[in-house]
Amino acid sequence: MAPRATVDVEFAVRVTRPGPAAISVAAAHADTEELTVSWHGESEPVEFEHGTRAEVFALPAGEHRVTYHAERALTEPEPEPVTLADVAVFTRPSRYCPSDRVAGLVPPELLKLKSAGKQVQAIVRHVSDRLSYVAGASRPTDDAVDTLLAGEGVCRDFAHVCITLCRFLDIPARYAGVYAPGLAPMDFHAVFEAAVDGHWYVFDATRLAPRQTMLRIATGRDAADTAFLATLGCELDFLGSTVFATTDAALPADDGSGLVVLG
């Protein structure tokens, strides 16, 4: 029997101007799941490409609590093919991944490698060695260039730098928000996927959790496409969150060298 993952999320907001907001916390391919909002209005589901789902709620003024519970079997998925549309979208610069502005920051040794697989692995090693993981070190507006110059950041910054370097080398790369059993401290986590031999594989330069048990939440060009909470006309204050992602089996070893498919 395949091991199972369990996810529990809770966060609270204070709405100061009523209006719609999109909540995107659903784990891809969940076997069972339940999303509740303390205000019992109806939601409108929205589905995007690459497994991202959101629920749009019209929130009245006041404080609201959101809870989400999901369970899923951790079976090994088939690698997803990289389409021509993927190549067109995920080799372009984006808000947080300005691959057109990093020429002077690319290690020369990356240009000498002949295969995408070796280049991606070298990028992961370079970013892991160059950046320090420091909670709270970066600003929400920091892009990959800011992070490279600062030399520190959090998981989203590590992912943005890796994506930017991949795109500079014309390797399609995309951002993924995930649940990551084994992550400490537990929170939402960010990784990236890169095209290797015509398929998508997941990589994580932070090396904070095994990739084999990660569960996809949202996929996009960068963090701008994958927020777990986005206002669509309302105004609100975020009051805090808790995230738990666990498995009922021992966590697998992951030295970062293998090709892993994100479920």
Side-chain angles (χ1 to χ4, degrees):
M1 182 179 296
R4 297 187 64 81
T6 300
V7 170
D8 284 287
V9 178
E10 181 175 336
F11 64 88
V13 298
R14 180 186 297 111
V15 176
T16 55
R17 188 177 79 176
I23 297 170
S24 182
V25 295
H29 312 301
D31 299 323
T32 61
E33 62 181 345
E34 182 179 13
L35 174 68
T36 62
V37 178
S38 55
W39 174 70
H40 300 293
E42 294 294 323
S43 67
E44 181 177 350
V46 180
E47 292 194 12
F48 303 89
E49 292 184 322
H50 311 297
T52 305
R53 293 180 289 146
E55 296 284 340
V56 177
F57 290 85
L59 296 177
E63 291 191 9
H64 306 290
R65 185 169 60 93
V66 177
T67 60
Y68 175 72
H69 174 82
E71 297 182 16
R72 198 189 86 185
L74 292 172
T75 55
E76 185 174 357
E78 291 294 321
E80 179 188 345
V82 178
T83 66
L84 286 176
D86 290 338
V87 174
V89 171
F90 296 117
T91 54
R92 298 175 185 172
S94 60
R95 165 63 182 87
Y96 292 106
C97 301
S99 50
D100 54 341
R101 295 198 290 114
V102 293
L105 299 172
V106 177
E109 57 269 23
L110 292 180
L111 305 176
K112 301 175 184 178
L113 299 171
K114 301 301 181 184
S115 74
K118 291 181 179 179
Q119 288 176 316
V120 175
Q121 292 286 7
I123 287 169
V124 172
R125 290 193 299 270
H126 171 74
V127 173
S128 182
D129 293 342
R130 173 162 179 171
L131 299 185
S132 298
Y133 188 96
V134 180
S138 60
R139 301 164 298 179
T141 56
D142 284 352
D143 62 21
V145 173
D146 297 318
T147 301
L148 281 168
L149 295 177
E152 60 185 18
V154 294
C155 58
R156 62 172 259 161
D157 304 307
F158 279 61
H160 285 154
V161 172
C162 288
I163 292 168
T164 301
L165 294 176
C166 284
R167 292 179 185 170
F168 179 84
L169 298 173
D170 290 325
I171 300 170
R174 64 191 190 186
Y175 183 101
V178 300
Y179 295 114
L183 185 69
M186 181 56 67
D187 204 340
F188 296 107
H189 191 45
V191 295
F192 79 102
E193 293 175 285
V196 177
D197 296 330
H199 292 86
W200 289 109
Y201 295 96
V202 61
F203 300 89
D204 183 8
T206 72
R207 300 175 180 172
L208 292 176
R211 294 169 294 159
Q212 295 91 333
T213 53
M214 291 178 179
L215 288 74
R216 184 190 307 273
I217 306 170
T219 311
R221 295 166 298 173
D222 55 35
D225 293 340
T226 59
F228 70 89
L229 174 65
T231 58
L232 303 177
C234 71
E235 293 181 1
L236 56 79
D237 299 318
F238 185 69
L239 302 180
S241 64
T242 57
V243 179
F244 294 99
T246 61
T247 70
D248 59 4
L251 292 171
D254 183 11
D255 63 6
S257 63
L259 292 178
V260 175
V261 178
L262 180 60

